[in-house]
Amino acid sequence: MYRKHVTVAITGIAIASFALVGCSAGGSGDDDSAAAKPSRSAAADRATPTPSATESATASGEVAVTSEKIVDDQMGHTAQADRVVRDFPWTSAQSGLADRDDNEQVLVHVTMTAGEKFYSTMDCGSIRVQAHGSTESYTSQGTTPVIEDAMEAAGYPAFASIDQGQSGEGWCAFSVTDPTDVLDLEYVRLAASSNDGTQITAKDFFSEMVPR
Protein backbone atom coordinates (compact mmCIF):
# COMPACT_ATOMS: atom_id res chain seq x y z
CA MET A 1 0.00 0.00 0.00
CA TYR A 2 1.35 3.41 -0.94
CA ARG A 3 1.52 5.62 2.09
CA LYS A 4 1.40 9.38 2.15
CA HIS A 5 3.42 10.61 5.09
CA VAL A 6 2.16 13.52 7.15
CA THR A 7 4.48 15.95 8.88
CA VAL A 8 2.84 17.67 11.85
CA ALA A 9 3.59 21.37 12.08
CA ILE A 10 3.39 22.74 15.63
CA THR A 11 4.71 26.29 15.82
CA GLY A 12 5.40 27.83 19.20
CA ILE A 13 3.86 24.94 21.13
CA ALA A 14 5.95 23.19 23.76
CA ILE A 15 5.20 19.51 24.31
CA ALA A 16 5.91 18.30 27.85
CA SER A 17 5.66 14.93 29.55
CA PHE A 18 3.88 14.58 32.90
CA ALA A 19 3.31 11.85 35.44
CA LEU A 20 -0.23 11.17 34.28
CA VAL A 21 0.15 11.77 30.55
CA GLY A 22 1.77 13.51 27.65
CA CYS A 23 0.30 16.93 26.88
CA SER A 24 -1.11 17.32 23.38
CA ALA A 25 -1.64 20.62 21.58
CA GLY A 26 -5.17 21.09 20.31
CA GLY A 27 -6.85 23.29 17.74
CA SER A 28 -8.89 26.40 18.39
CA GLY A 29 -12.14 24.94 17.15
CA ASP A 30 -11.84 26.46 13.65
CA ASP A 31 -9.98 25.50 10.51
CA ASP A 32 -7.34 28.22 10.55
CA SER A 33 -5.22 27.93 13.67
CA ALA A 34 -4.20 25.61 16.50
CA ALA A 35 -4.40 26.77 20.12
CA ALA A 36 -2.38 25.12 22.85
CA LYS A 37 -4.15 24.21 26.07
CA PRO A 38 -1.81 24.18 29.07
CA SER A 39 -1.38 21.07 31.15
CA ARG A 40 -0.53 21.00 34.82
CA SER A 41 2.52 19.08 36.08
CA ALA A 42 1.86 16.25 38.50
CA ALA A 43 5.27 15.85 40.09
CA ALA A 44 6.71 14.70 36.79
CA ASP A 45 9.64 12.34 36.52
CA ARG A 46 9.61 11.28 40.17
CA ALA A 47 10.33 7.65 40.84
CA THR A 48 7.19 6.14 42.31
CA PRO A 49 6.18 2.57 43.08
CA THR A 50 3.73 0.74 40.89
CA PRO A 51 0.27 1.02 42.50
CA SER A 52 -1.41 -2.06 43.82
CA ALA A 53 -4.77 -3.26 42.58
CA THR A 54 -6.44 -1.92 45.73
CA GLU A 55 -5.46 1.64 44.79
CA SER A 56 -7.83 1.53 41.82
CA ALA A 57 -10.56 -0.68 43.21
CA THR A 58 -12.86 2.11 44.47
CA ALA A 59 -13.83 3.72 41.17
CA SER A 60 -17.55 4.41 40.80
CA GLY A 61 -17.96 1.83 38.02
CA GLU A 62 -18.76 1.98 34.33
CA VAL A 63 -21.56 4.16 33.00
CA ALA A 64 -22.79 3.69 29.44
CA VAL A 65 -22.95 6.91 27.43
CA THR A 66 -24.44 7.99 24.13
CA SER A 67 -21.96 9.93 22.03
CA GLU A 68 -21.96 10.74 18.33
CA LYS A 69 -19.07 9.39 16.28
CA ILE A 70 -16.46 12.02 15.49
CA VAL A 71 -15.28 11.90 11.88
CA ASP A 72 -12.21 13.84 10.75
CA ASP A 73 -13.16 15.24 7.36
CA GLN A 74 -9.54 15.56 6.16
CA MET A 75 -7.58 12.75 7.80
CA GLY A 76 -10.39 10.21 7.79
CA HIS A 77 -9.89 9.34 11.48
CA THR A 78 -12.89 8.45 13.64
CA ALA A 79 -13.42 8.34 17.40
CA GLN A 80 -16.41 7.36 19.51
CA ALA A 81 -16.96 6.87 23.24
CA ASP A 82 -19.43 4.41 24.71
CA ARG A 83 -18.53 4.09 28.41
CA VAL A 84 -17.01 6.21 31.16
CA VAL A 85 -15.73 5.62 34.68
CA ARG A 86 -16.08 8.63 36.96
CA ASP A 87 -13.89 9.38 40.00
CA PHE A 88 -11.21 6.86 39.13
CA PRO A 89 -8.79 6.90 42.10
CA TRP A 90 -5.56 8.82 41.84
CA THR A 91 -2.40 6.77 42.28
CA SER A 92 0.51 7.78 44.49
CA ALA A 93 2.24 9.09 41.36
CA GLN A 94 -0.50 11.71 40.92
CA SER A 95 -0.31 13.52 44.23
CA GLY A 96 -0.16 16.93 42.53
CA LEU A 97 -3.44 16.31 40.75
CA ALA A 98 -5.08 14.57 43.68
CA ASP A 99 -4.45 17.58 45.93
CA ARG A 100 -6.63 19.78 43.73
CA ASP A 101 -10.29 19.62 44.69
CA ASP A 102 -11.45 20.82 41.25
CA ASN A 103 -9.99 17.81 39.46
CA GLU A 104 -11.59 14.46 38.73
CA GLN A 105 -9.91 11.52 37.05
CA VAL A 106 -12.13 10.06 34.36
CA LEU A 107 -11.61 6.97 32.24
CA VAL A 108 -13.26 6.82 28.83
CA HIS A 109 -13.66 3.72 26.68
CA VAL A 110 -13.20 4.67 23.04
CA THR A 111 -13.16 3.02 19.65
CA MET A 112 -10.90 4.76 17.14
CA THR A 113 -9.97 4.17 13.52
CA ALA A 114 -6.99 5.73 11.78
CA GLY A 115 -7.81 6.91 8.28
CA GLU A 116 -6.31 5.22 5.22
CA LYS A 117 -5.51 8.31 3.16
CA PHE A 118 -2.46 9.49 5.12
CA TYR A 119 0.06 7.73 7.31
CA SER A 120 -0.48 8.84 10.90
CA THR A 121 -1.28 7.25 14.23
CA MET A 122 -4.15 7.48 16.72
CA ASP A 123 -3.81 7.06 20.49
CA CYS A 124 -5.05 8.54 23.75
CA GLY A 125 -3.15 11.74 22.96
CA SER A 126 -5.46 12.29 19.97
CA ILE A 127 -8.45 12.96 22.22
CA ARG A 128 -9.39 14.88 25.35
CA VAL A 129 -12.21 14.92 27.87
CA GLN A 130 -13.45 18.11 29.46
CA ALA A 131 -16.42 19.63 31.25
CA HIS A 132 -19.38 20.14 28.93
CA GLY A 133 -19.05 23.39 27.01
CA SER A 134 -15.68 24.24 28.50
CA THR A 135 -12.90 25.61 26.32
CA GLU A 136 -10.36 26.22 29.07
CA SER A 137 -10.17 22.87 30.88
CA TYR A 138 -6.76 21.57 31.84
CA THR A 139 -6.79 18.12 30.33
CA SER A 140 -4.50 15.15 30.44
CA GLN A 141 -4.34 12.49 27.77
CA GLY A 142 -2.82 9.10 27.53
CA THR A 143 -1.19 7.25 30.38
CA THR A 144 2.18 6.50 31.87
CA PRO A 145 3.02 2.88 32.71
CA VAL A 146 2.09 3.62 36.34
CA ILE A 147 -1.46 4.64 35.42
CA GLU A 148 -1.76 1.80 32.91
CA ASP A 149 -0.96 -0.66 35.69
CA ALA A 150 -3.71 0.79 37.91
CA MET A 151 -6.19 0.75 35.03
CA GLU A 152 -5.29 -2.83 34.10
CA ALA A 153 -5.63 -3.95 37.72
CA ALA A 154 -9.13 -2.46 37.85
CA GLY A 155 -10.16 -4.12 34.58
CA TYR A 156 -9.76 -1.14 32.25
CA PRO A 157 -6.93 -1.93 29.78
CA ALA A 158 -5.43 1.14 28.12
CA PHE A 159 -5.99 1.97 24.46
CA ALA A 160 -3.00 0.93 22.34
CA SER A 161 -1.71 3.15 19.52
CA ILE A 162 -2.99 2.30 16.04
CA ASP A 163 -1.52 3.02 12.61
CA GLN A 164 -2.95 3.92 9.20
CA GLY A 165 -6.08 1.95 8.36
CA GLN A 166 -6.24 0.20 11.74
CA SER A 167 -8.99 0.23 14.37
CA GLY A 168 -8.79 -0.35 18.10
CA GLU A 169 -10.59 0.08 21.37
CA GLY A 170 -9.57 0.61 24.97
CA TRP A 171 -9.53 3.04 27.88
CA CYS A 172 -7.90 6.46 28.18
CA ALA A 173 -7.35 8.40 31.43
CA PHE A 174 -8.05 12.11 31.80
CA SER A 175 -7.85 14.75 34.50
CA VAL A 176 -10.98 16.89 34.13
CA THR A 177 -11.19 20.36 35.67
CA ASP A 178 -14.54 21.41 37.18
CA PRO A 179 -16.32 18.32 35.78
CA THR A 180 -19.99 18.39 34.82
CA ASP A 181 -22.56 15.57 34.74
CA VAL A 182 -22.25 15.50 30.94
CA LEU A 183 -18.68 15.49 29.68
CA ASP A 184 -17.40 16.34 26.19
CA LEU A 185 -15.14 14.11 24.13
CA GLU A 186 -12.79 16.22 22.04
CA TYR A 187 -10.73 14.97 19.11
CA VAL A 188 -7.78 17.21 18.27
CA ARG A 189 -6.52 17.49 14.70
CA LEU A 190 -3.17 19.22 14.43
CA ALA A 191 -2.03 21.24 11.45
CA ALA A 192 0.11 19.15 9.12
CA SER A 193 1.35 18.75 5.57
CA SER A 194 1.76 15.56 3.53
CA ASN A 195 4.58 14.66 1.19
CA ASP A 196 2.34 15.38 -1.81
CA GLY A 197 1.80 18.97 -0.65
CA THR A 198 -1.64 18.50 0.90
CA GLN A 199 -2.18 20.93 3.77
CA ILE A 200 -4.10 19.71 6.82
CA THR A 201 -5.69 22.48 8.88
CA ALA A 202 -5.97 22.39 12.66
CA LYS A 203 -9.43 21.69 14.02
CA ASP A 204 -11.14 20.45 17.18
CA PHE A 205 -14.17 18.17 17.07
CA PHE A 206 -16.55 17.74 20.01
CA SER A 207 -19.13 15.14 20.99
CA GLU A 208 -21.22 15.13 24.18
CA MET A 209 -21.09 11.96 26.26
CA VAL A 210 -24.59 11.72 27.71
CA PRO A 211 -25.16 9.05 30.39
CA ARG A 212 -27.84 6.54 29.37
Side-chain angles (χ1 to χ4, degrees):
M1 179 190 301
Y2 172 71
R3 292 182 171 181
K4 297 181 181 180
H5 288 268
V6 176
T7 301
V8 177
I10 311 176
T11 304
I13 298 176
I15 298 207
S17 180
F18 302 112
L20 173 64
V21 297
C23 171
S24 176
S28 63
D30 56 46
D31 289 345
D32 298 319
S33 63
K37 294 183 181 179
S39 287
R40 197 161 34 238
S41 175
D45 298 326
R46 293 181 183 173
T48 54
T50 299
S52 66
T54 56
E55 271 191 281
S56 55
T58 57
S60 59
E62 295 180 28
V63 175
V65 296
T66 299
S67 183
E68 292 186 4
K69 180 185 289 186
I70 293 173
V71 180
D72 184 332
D73 56 333
Q74 286 193 292
M75 297 293 292
H77 300 332
T78 67
Q80 187 170 26
D82 62 356
R83 284 170 280 162
V84 300
V85 173
R86 302 294 298 258
D87 293 311
F88 190 76
W90 305 104
T91 67
S92 56
Q94 299 171 287
S95 58
L97 291 169
D99 289 343
R100 295 185 56 92
D101 59 9
D102 60 348
N103 272 0
E104 177 187 336
Q105 183 158 225
V106 177
L107 305 186
V108 178
H109 183 268
V110 291
T111 300
M112 292 194 279
T113 298
E116 297 183 356
K117 186 175 182 180
F118 300 102
Y119 179 74
S120 64
T121 60
M122 292 279 284
D123 55 29
C124 288
S126 305
I127 56 176
R128 296 174 174 168
V129 171
Q130 59 187 33
H132 177 55
S134 171
T135 58
E136 301 299 331
S137 289
Y138 291 89
T139 54
S140 300
Q141 301 84 265
T143 62
T144 66
V146 170
I147 310 306
E148 286 183 356
D149 287 345
M151 292 165 62
E152 182 76 30
Y156 306 114
F159 186 94
S161 178
I162 56 174
D163 292 323
Q164 181 182 20
Q166 294 180 340
S167 296
E169 62 178 289
W171 293 87
C172 297
F174 301 88
S175 170
V176 180
T177 303
D178 296 325
T180 49
D181 290 340
V182 174
L183 299 172
D184 289 344
L185 177 70
E186 177 187 9
Y187 159 70
V188 182
R189 183 177 74 204
L190 301 178
S193 59
S194 72
N195 59 0
D196 67 355
T198 301
Q199 297 299 309
I200 308 298
T201 58
K203 185 176 180 179
D204 287 4
F205 301 78
F206 297 89
S207 179
E208 295 180 20
M209 297 185 293
V210 181
R212 296 181 192 173

